[in-house]
Amino acid sequence: MSSESSKKRKPKVIRSDGAPAEGKRNRSDTEQEGKYYSEEAEVDLRDPGRDYELYKYTCQELQRLMAEIQDLKSRGGKDVAIEIEERRIQSCVHFMTLKKLNRLAHIRLKKGRDQTHEAKQKVDAYHLQLQNLLYEVMHLQKEITKCLEFKSKHEEIDLVSLEEFYKEAPPDISKAEVTMGDPHQQTLARLDWELEQRKRLAEKYCESLSNKEKILKEIEVKKEYLSSLQPRLNSIMQASLPVQEYLFMPFDQAHKQYETARHLPPPLYVLFVQATAYGQACDKTLSVAIEGSVDEAKALFKPPEDSQDDESDSDAEEEQTTKRRRPTLGVQLDDKRKEMLKRHPLSVMLDLKCKDDSVLHLTFFYLMNLNIMTVKAKVTTATELITPISAGDLLSPDSVLSCLYPGDHGKKTPNPANQYQFDKVGILTLSDYVLELGHPYLWVQKLGGLHFPKEQPQQTVIADHSLSASHMETTMKLLKTRVQSRLALHKQFASLEHGIVPVTSDCQYLFPAKVVSRLVKWVTVAHEDYMELHFTKDIVDAGLAGDTNFYYMALVERGTAKLQAAVVLNPGYSSIPPIFQLCLNWKGEKTNSNDDNIRAMESEVNVCYKELCGPWPSHQLLTNQLQRLCVLLDVYLETESHDDSVEGPKEFPQEKMCLRLFRGPSRMKPFKYNHPQGFFSHR
């Protein structure tokens, strides 16, 4: 044991002192193995199991020797040092043995790793060979598939059927006795027949080309003749201009208009054609014109030109653009909104003349990206009008055409697809842009032949001439009626603000000769203020107080009695009558909620309005209602019972003749005026 542990780790070399080093290096391998000691070689000869047993035995011996040394040291004595030294030497020998076993274990571990690495390299080499073989197999399979899927060019040719081939092909090509039984020869024969047919067609094609060239030459000759004819026609048209002016037949102007109309978008073109036709057939005073830049309209339909020849200019522009700052997100959105709301360069102007020489100017626009039409309106009169304070919005371009048809406010887009377009560019509603773009009324879309069904939306809306024609006459009449009614209201408001209720001679019979109550105030009221009035709650709850209506406050007085009348004027006046709500301040506040006679007075004005319409078109309805209100206040005050406890004359002596002062438990008063008898009775 001690001899094995005393062996050094490094190999020992036994050399003869007299021999040179070079001669010793050239000795055979067997001599080298005999002269060197190698632990790597010893590992192969030793048994790992026996080394493990030796390791356990050495550890036990070390434990025993350490215990004996500790025991000897604890006993003390003179001879103890010698024994301790002997056991120390034995312990060192055992330590040497452990060191050798440790080196052998590390060598075994290294050899095991080397063997594992060699095995892995072999496995990797085999795996690489396998992948190469699989790749070759896959490549061969692809080549096989290509060969199997190969298609000849003749398969792309649409050959005639077999029946037609054997029927039409000559025998020297068809060779029925050979091709009937051989598919390959049959295909070759069919290809020969196809080639023969194509040669014949090529000859016909050449003949057709020669005929085409002859016809083109004839066309060129005729074009030259026609082009020489155009200057002559122009000179004739110029010479006939004085005759056209004298006979009021502006053919030249109409021709120019129709030439410009070719560049209109389809909805504006439909409007132009139908309005011109209506003016020629039904209304000679209707003027139709086209405004805008024709060059810009032509540019919309030009294809974008290639800029290959302007490379130097584009490079200079790129250098300039790089120096500029990139637009912010807000600027980009503004540009997108402007592009979304872009109008067509051309617009259609309609001038609608009324009986009193007033003119309604309508300008129709087309929003190209939204596929809708808008209109701007302006009213001009023969004489300058003095605008009353309360008539400020009557002829306003924003409201003069509102609700021409019931519910058509012109604040929202009629095209359902526009809302999705607005969401992309951050537009909440079109009402924020109507002052700039115009109002997209529904009747405007119909005049342009556009219809946007909500139940079954269409992908593309096409302008329809029949739709425009079916609405043209009705809409033109409504527009004239609207202008006349607004102008009539304009004049009436000027009198009402001065406390005068104008009653025409045609309507004098509707009222008694003497009316004591008088109008002292007529002012406009904001929509919010009207909603806050306590005696208008019924109208508000019924949904009759919309934000498109006009609101006014009238004050009628007689003595100490003051009657307030809140008036709702619909934009469709006079086809839709005004609505009155009353509040009487006399001996307390009286409204329809606490006085049945006040409710009866409202009924006389609101329900029985047809008696007050007067001659058509009923433009005097509002003033007749106000005059009737003054008469009703007289009847109310004069029929009121007198308090006997109060001395002096009666404040409101009875001047109206009544058959019966009161009726029923609610003591209803006689508010119905009977003409020509001139008395009042109950309804």
Side-chain angles (χ1 to χ4, degrees), residues 278-427:
Y278 174 77
Q280 294 174 356
C282 303
D283 189 356
K284 300 296 183 181
T285 61
L286 178 63
S287 174
V288 185
I290 300 174
E291 290 189 351
S293 174
V294 180
D295 295 334
E296 293 181 9
K298 291 180 180 178
L300 293 176
F301 298 98
K302 287 184 179 179
E305 298 179 355
D306 298 333
S307 58
Q308 296 177 355
D309 299 333
D310 301 333
E311 293 180 356
S312 59
D313 296 339
S314 62
D315 294 339
E317 291 178 359
E318 287 180 2
E319 291 177 0
Q320 293 179 359
T321 53
T322 52
K323 295 179 181 178
R324 300 173 185 171
R325 296 179 60 188
R326 290 186 62 188
T328 60
L329 183 60
V331 175
Q332 292 178 357
L333 278 178
D334 289 340
D335 295 341
K336 289 182 180 179
R337 293 190 190 105
K338 290 179 182 178
E339 183 65 25
M340 181 70 68
L341 303 175
K342 188 176 180 181
R343 296 188 303 205
H344 194 273
L346 297 179
S347 59
V348 176
M349 286 278 297
L350 296 185
D351 291 341
L352 198 62
K353 295 183 180 179
C354 301
K355 294 181 180 179
D356 53 354
D357 293 335
S358 59
V359 182
L360 175 62
H361 305 278
L362 299 175
T363 307
F364 294 88
F365 303 97
Y366 177 67
L367 306 185
M368 298 179 291
N369 294 319
L370 301 182
N371 193 26
I372 60 174
M373 290 175 58
T374 60
V375 65
K376 284 187 176 181
K378 181 182 178 182
V379 179
T380 58
T381 55
T383 59
E384 185 177 357
L385 295 176
I386 300 175
T387 304
I389 298 175
S390 57
D393 294 335
L394 288 178
L395 298 178
S396 170
D398 188 38
S399 61
V400 68
L401 300 181
S402 178
C403 297
L404 188 66
Y405 287 89
D408 191 5
H409 308 297
K411 300 292 184 182
K412 297 180 179 179
T413 173
N415 190 354
N418 294 159
Q419 191 58 47
Y420 300 99
Q421 295 174 288
F422 292 161
D423 293 341
K424 293 181 180 180
V425 296
I427 297 177

Side-chain angles (χ1 to χ4, degrees), residues 40 50-51 172 190 222 312 352 380 382 403 463 466 512 621 643:
E40 287 81 356
R50 294 183 62 184
D51 287 346
D172 58 337
R190 293 174 69 187
K222 292 181 179 179
S312 59
L352 198 62
T380 58
C403 297
S466 60
L621 175 59
D643 189 1

Side-chain angles (χ1 to χ4, degrees), residues 573-574 577-578 609 612-613 618-626:
Y573 175 87
S574 61
Y609 70 92
L612 306 173
C613 288
S618 308
H619 292 157
Q620 299 294 323
L621 175 59
L622 177 63
T623 54
N624 290 345
Q625 286 178 309
L626 289 171

Side-chain angles (χ1 to χ4, degrees), residues 401-469:
L401 300 181
S402 178
C403 297
L404 188 66
Y405 287 89
D408 191 5
H409 308 297
K411 300 292 184 182
K412 297 180 179 179
T413 173
N415 190 354
N418 294 159
Q419 191 58 47
Y420 300 99
Q421 295 174 288
F422 292 161
D423 293 341
K424 293 181 180 180
V425 296
I427 297 177
L428 298 178
T429 176
L430 190 63
S431 59
D432 300 333
Y433 304 90
V434 292
L435 293 178
E436 177 185 357
L437 302 175
H439 293 266
Y441 297 110
L442 290 175
W443 58 268
V444 174
Q445 317 307 318
K446 292 179 180 178
L447 290 184
L450 298 177
H451 178 57
F452 303 97
K454 295 182 179 180
E455 297 179 356
Q456 296 180 353
Q458 300 177 0
Q459 293 182 354
T460 55
V461 179
I462 303 174
D464 185 6
H465 282 269
S466 60
L467 179 64
S468 176

